[in-house]
Amino acid sequence: MTRTTNGPIAVLGLGAMGTGLATRLLDQGVQVRVWNRTAERVEPLVKAGAFAAARPADAAAGTSAAICSVADGEALGTVLRGPDGVLAGGPYPGVLICASTVAPDEVVQIAGDVTSVLDVGMLGNRDHARDGELRLFVGGEERVFNAGRPLLEMLGKEVVHLGALGSGMRMKLLLNLLMGIEVQALAEASELATASGLDRQLVLKTIAGSGFASPVMAFKSKRLASGRFDKPDFRLRLMAKDLMLASKQAAAVGLSLPLATAAAETHVRAAGQGLGDEDCAAVVRALTAKPGSDT
């Protein structure tokens, strides 16, 4: 199998993480071919030296690896298996890296009989992606992992092979479950503080500097303190999706996860209130019922 640093790399899907990955590769002198469903996100990367393709299949043509970073399983299936997809014309000769967060069983189903697939759970934000500071948790056959490892090590400061295909998604869902619960807990604490007459800013500063705060909570406390949830680090609707996936995974193996279930319900409600494209810390806005509402 071709090693993934021997040729151009395709990046399919240019959200916050996909754009960061493509930028990182360009900064490292790698030839990059990009595709995105909407064209406006392509233009800055083209100016930086990337080649823009009209279809996923065209972006992947002649590359040694293709990184798919799209919103959900339906989008991933279309990018790989659709009429314009990477696999529409037959097997892909390089390594297919599924960095989209989808159900573990779904990535296995989409891969089908294609063995050159890795699923990669990415821990970090857009800045980590751009700077090669991600932590990457990988599922897939060992020979495919070994072929893709040079590329993965260019993108992340830590690369861990967890086992069979789907393992990367299982780890990612666990990590996002923790983040969703932590951020909601922080939001709940800040709302209770305000309702109790405490100074919101002081409370958030105290929590962020305490032993109770994880790095995520310390980071998100700044969002809550400012009340600004635009230009999201991680969209609330994606967190809602991932919490629901984690809850379904738990139900499938007979586990009851009350915290995960409650967080999923809150995030789904927040997305239904029109907060889906704001940062996930905007879940705080779903905690207080509006006059005349039944939420």
Side-chain angles (χ1 to χ4, degrees), residues 33-273:
R33 299 172 65 88
V34 296
W35 170 87
N36 194 63
R37 184 175 57 85
T38 55
E40 62 267 19
R41 292 185 179 177
V42 172
E43 293 173 5
L45 290 167
V46 170
K47 291 179 181 178
F51 171 83
R55 306 184 308 153
D58 296 336
T63 60
S64 59
I67 304 171
C68 302
S69 182
V70 292
D72 52 34
E74 181 180 359
L76 179 63
T78 299
V79 165
L80 295 184
R81 297 283 186 180
D84 296 327
V86 175
L87 300 174
Y92 175 68
V95 176
L96 278 172
I97 296 175
C98 297
S100 310
T101 304
V102 302
D105 293 341
E106 194 168 18
V107 74
V108 173
Q109 180 181 10
I110 292 170
D113 59 358
V114 179
T115 60
S116 59
V117 179
L118 299 174
D119 68 306
V120 179
M122 300 187 292
L123 182 59
N125 57 36
R126 73 181 86 193
D127 293 335
H128 296 126
R130 182 194 62 216
D131 297 337
E133 292 291 313
L134 294 169
R135 297 173 64 197
L136 304 175
F137 301 94
V138 188
E141 292 187 13
E142 187 170 2
R143 65 176 183 84
V144 184
F145 171 72
N146 289 334
R149 186 165 194 158
L151 171 60
L152 296 173
E153 290 180 341
M154 187 182 296
L155 299 174
K157 65 179 181 180
E158 180 182 10
V159 179
V160 181
H161 185 216
L162 298 174
L165 191 66
S167 300
M169 288 303 99
R170 290 186 175 90
M171 178 64 85
K172 177 62 174 177
L173 289 177
L174 295 179
L175 295 169
N176 279 4
L177 181 154
L178 287 171
M179 182 168 75
I181 290 173
E182 285 182 1
V183 174
Q184 181 167 326
L186 178 65
E188 290 185 14
S190 69
E191 286 300 287
L192 179 59
T194 302
S196 302
L198 294 176
D199 183 273
R200 182 186 186 87
Q201 306 297 321
L202 178 59
V203 167
L204 287 167
K205 182 179 179 181
T206 300
I207 293 173
S210 74
F212 300 111
S214 67
V216 165
M217 290 175 71
F219 181 68
K220 290 299 182 183
S221 67
K222 298 176 183 177
R223 285 272 192 186
L224 292 171
S226 70
R228 293 289 302 274
F229 306 113
D230 57 342
K231 297 180 180 179
D233 304 301
F234 188 65
R235 295 181 190 275
L236 188 146
R237 62 180 170 83
L238 298 181
M239 178 60 78
K241 176 206 68 170
D242 292 351
L243 288 167
M244 288 298 296
L245 287 174
S247 296
K248 289 177 181 178
Q249 287 289 302
V253 295
L255 285 177
S256 173
L257 302 182
L259 290 176
T261 300
E265 291 173 352
T266 306
H267 282 75
V268 168
R269 184 169 70 251
Q273 293 173 355

Side-chain angles (χ1 to χ4, degrees), residues 21-32 45-46 48-50:
L21 294 171
T23 301
R24 169 65 176 174
L25 293 170
L26 288 168
D27 288 346
Q28 295 297 302
V30 176
Q31 296 179 35
V32 179
L45 290 167
V46 170

